[in-house]
Amino acid sequence: MSNVWYLLNPLSLLLGLAAWALPLMAISRRLRLGKALAVSSLCCSASLWFQLVYQDHLVTVQDWSALLDTSGALVRVAAVLIVVTALLQLGAAVLTGDPRSSVS
């Protein structure tokens, strides 16, 4: 696995975008809500895991300058990923909810 470190960041980005796209696809009724939200959560988690693996790689190779340069931005971007994913999933659940389940 010595030559795949450069793939972790693009894969993380693609998985993060997928985590945002899947709830939108559920809102447009292209995907079933339950499956879309489950896979969206999985994509978000995998995206964050790839970033953790990359940070571990930087520690292993003792690239302290890269670690110090990127750690603050990584924390902020991870927070944005989690918050936006949660809001999109909540919006998808509310907008595609079963109208028959409301109590009148």
Side-chain angles (χ1 to χ4, degrees), residues 1-88:
M1 196 167 158
S2 63
N3 295 330
V4 297
W5 299 112
Y6 65 93
L7 292 175
L8 292 176
N9 286 324
L11 285 174
S12 179
L13 179 63
L14 289 175
L15 286 168
L17 292 173
W20 290 353
L22 289 167
L24 295 174
M25 292 175 71
I27 290 171
S28 68
R29 309 259 186 207
R30 292 185 181 163
L31 290 176
R32 296 183 66 165
L33 179 64
K35 290 181 183 180
L37 297 185
V39 176
S40 174
S41 296
L42 181 66
C43 287
C44 183
S45 300
S47 175
L48 294 173
W49 182 77
F50 280 143
Q51 286 302 309
L52 287 173
V53 170
Y54 186 70
Q55 294 295 311
D56 181 61
H57 168 68
L58 293 178
V59 170
T60 302
V61 298
Q62 298 180 355
D63 191 353
W64 306 120
S65 61
L67 191 61
L68 291 171
D69 288 344
T70 60
S71 66
L74 175 63
V75 169
R76 287 187 292 278
V77 170
V80 168
L81 175 65
I82 292 168
V83 168
V84 172
T85 302
L87 290 174
L88 285 171

